[in-house]
Amino acid sequence: MSETLGRVVARLVASSAAFNTLNLPPAVPIHFHRSPDFPQGDVRGIDGLDFQVVNAGAVVQLGRTGPNGRIDVRVPPGGSATLQLLHGGAVVAEYEITIDAGALSAVNTVRGQQERLRMLGYQIGHTGTDGNGIDGNQSFLFERSLLDFQADQGLLPDAVVSPQTTASLTARAGG
Amino acid sequence: MPTHVVQQGDCLSNLTDQFGLKWETVWNHPNNQALREKRSDPNVLYPGDELYIPDRETKEVPRPTEKRHKFVKTGIRAKLKLKLLDDFQPRAGVSYELQVDGVQKSGVTDGQGYLEQWIPPSARRARLLVGKGTIKDVYDLRLGELDPIDTEEGIRGRLVDLGFGSDNLNEAINAYQKREGLPITGEANEATRNRLKERFGQ
């Protein structure tokens, strides 16, 4: 850890009435869920996940998820926070979280559907400029993920993006 | 010796502790008038500032021999006073742990979200954990490193503490101005600096 990290505050001399403020930015709720039909019903949150949130180079949140699998990540307006999942103290997964209404593409585009399917854990391959499968093309893997998603949600699995499918994608992944 | 050039992390409380003087003696010395005018707040100095350290005065106290005499050393103490907010609302009655120099203190914030603890003047780092249960907010504090409001580091430091941490300073200023309902310029103009100082407390 570099010496430039952390929050700067004044050390106040004895007579001073001054104070320093530490404010938490707004919370962005992130849910970690098991695959839709496991074990069953709504008890799908992954508990006992160790995590930390890093902002401006410093650890700002530290903890372990409860039974709902929820982490309220504090994300600075105009900035971003990094959510890291830990196992035995080592970082095993990392998510960059930004507040940006335009960060997710519209749900009626292939791109927007791919982004949401990927967030929900469906395997959509490694095509596209970022190598994350988000390329805006209706590939075989995209259609298979869509079928899986529809089946998991109890929708008609036909790989056709119906209004029910987009509504369900938005409800599950946001945006 | 008598002029000390301020380094990052120096402030009046740790310097005066180091030289064995009261902070008032140093700050109010005539040779520090220029510095007093430049930095209105003795808690916020900037690297490169020159602080005159007067010599210690010798105090003579005649006392008879063959008797026990008691002298009390005036301690120099430094304070940490923080206001904890959640999206600008006070975090009242939350429990916290403060670790300074291997000593752990705990407490609960008051009705306005304030916490106040005495700390050793020489301490440079502290870790504050807020909240109970399995999830805590972490603040790694760099004590005495707050820079004056008219420097870029001073603006950035206050913005980060207020939850506007961004790699890009102009974007952080934009977001702060938007949140405060100030004209959005991306520049730390006078109105922004004044609001920042008032909101941050110093």
Side-chain angles (χ1 to χ4, degrees):
Chain A
M1 281 277 183
S2 145
E3 275 299 288
T4 59
L5 306 179
R7 306 291 193 235
V8 291
V9 291
R11 195 171 17 213
L12 306 171
V13 291
S15 69
S16 178
F19 61 91
N20 290 174
T21 303
L22 296 173
N23 179 48
L24 289 176
V28 176
I30 305 285
H31 293 261
F32 283 95
H33 282 175
R34 294 187 172 85
S35 58
D37 50 4
F38 180 87
Q40 56 182 324
D42 285 331
V43 200
R44 293 205 303 269
I46 304 179
D47 62 357
L49 278 180
D50 289 321
F51 70 92
Q52 62 182 21
V53 179
V54 178
N55 171 240
V59 174
V60 293
Q61 279 170 281
L62 204 56
R64 175 172 289 186
T65 56
N68 59 5
R70 172 173 167 156
I71 302 172
D72 285 324
V73 179
R74 303 295 183 149
V75 184
S80 65
T82 308
L83 170 62
Q84 297 174 330
L85 297 185
L86 307 171
H87 185 76
V91 177
V92 290
E94 198 170 88
Y95 306 86
E96 188 81 0
I97 298 162
T98 316
I99 304 179
D100 181 355
L104 276 177
S105 304
V107 73
N108 60 3
T109 62
V110 172
R111 205 180 174 81
Q113 292 148 16
Q114 287 174 329
E115 287 167 356
R116 287 170 179 80
L117 287 169
R118 183 168 183 271
M119 284 169 71
L120 295 171
Y122 294 89
Q123 299 303 318
I124 59 167
H126 300 282
T127 53
T129 46
D130 292 331
N132 57 10
I134 297 168
D135 61 0
N137 296 322
Q138 303 210 18
S139 64
F140 167 73
L141 276 174
F142 167 67
E143 290 195 1
R144 202 179 67 186
S145 300
L146 202 57
L147 282 171
D148 288 345
F149 175 74
Q150 289 172 324
D152 290 337
Q153 296 298 314
L155 301 168
L156 178 68
D158 58 0
V160 173
V161 187
S162 58
Q164 289 91 331
T165 306
T166 52
S168 193
L169 275 173
T170 307
R172 306 297 313 157
Chain B
M1 120 108 238
T3 302
H4 176 85
V5 179
V6 172
Q7 323 247 312
Q8 188 57 273
D10 280 350
C11 71
L12 220 52
S13 52
N14 80 321
L15 287 177
T16 51
D17 177 57
Q18 187 182 326
F19 295 113
L21 293 159
K22 287 186 179 177
W23 74 268
E24 295 96 330
T25 316
V26 177
W27 185 246
N28 294 324
H29 194 278
N31 291 9
N32 282 323
Q33 193 187 343
L35 185 65
R36 277 203 303 279
E37 283 166 9
K38 191 169 159 201
R39 310 272 176 231
S40 52
D41 189 336
N43 294 303
V44 186
L45 301 178
Y46 193 58
D49 282 353
E50 293 188 354
L51 186 70
Y52 177 81
I53 310 283
D55 288 331
R56 267 193 272 188
E57 288 170 22
T58 312
K59 190 167 164 184
E60 287 187 21
V61 187
R63 282 287 184 273
T65 54
E66 307 290 324
K67 289 259 166 77
R68 283 170 77 95
H69 303 291
K70 220 176 180 179
F71 293 91
V72 177
K73 178 183 180 288
T74 316
I76 295 163
R77 299 200 291 177
K79 190 169 63 173
L80 194 62
K81 185 173 181 185
L82 299 171
K83 187 184 195 177
L84 301 185
L85 301 179
D86 182 347
D87 203 12
F88 288 114
Q89 299 302 310
R91 300 184 79 184
V94 292
S95 36
Y96 66 84
E97 285 169 29
L98 180 70
Q99 297 153 11
V100 196
D101 280 3
V103 179
Q104 184 155 319
K105 298 172 176 194
S106 54
V108 176
T109 58
D110 73 8
Q112 275 91 47
Y114 284 102
L115 75 86
E116 215 171 320
Q117 289 281 356
W118 293 104
I119 54 168
S122 57
R124 296 206 167 225
R125 293 286 182 274
R127 174 168 266 212
L128 175 67
L129 298 174
V130 183
K132 52 183 165 200
T134 59
I135 299 180
K136 292 191 192 304
D137 299 306
V138 183
Y139 303 91
D140 282 315
L141 303 175
R142 291 157 57 199
L143 305 168
E145 295 201 16
L146 183 71
D147 284 324
I149 188 79
D150 52 6
T151 64
E152 193 181 306
E153 299 93 317
I155 305 274
R156 187 188 292 277
R158 285 169 178 83
L159 282 173
V160 170
D161 286 359
L162 289 174
F164 294 83
S166 169
D167 294 336
N168 183 322
L169 183 59
N170 294 90
E171 275 181 27
I173 294 173
N174 265 330
Y176 180 68
Q177 288 170 330
K178 192 173 169 195
R179 182 67 174 76
E180 293 278 25
L182 294 163
I184 298 167
T185 63
E187 301 293 326
N189 51 27
E190 198 186 343
T192 306
R193 288 200 306 271
N194 288 345
R195 182 69 66 85
L196 200 51
K197 209 172 159 179
E198 186 190 332
R199 181 73 77 181
F200 183 69
Q202 210 176 12

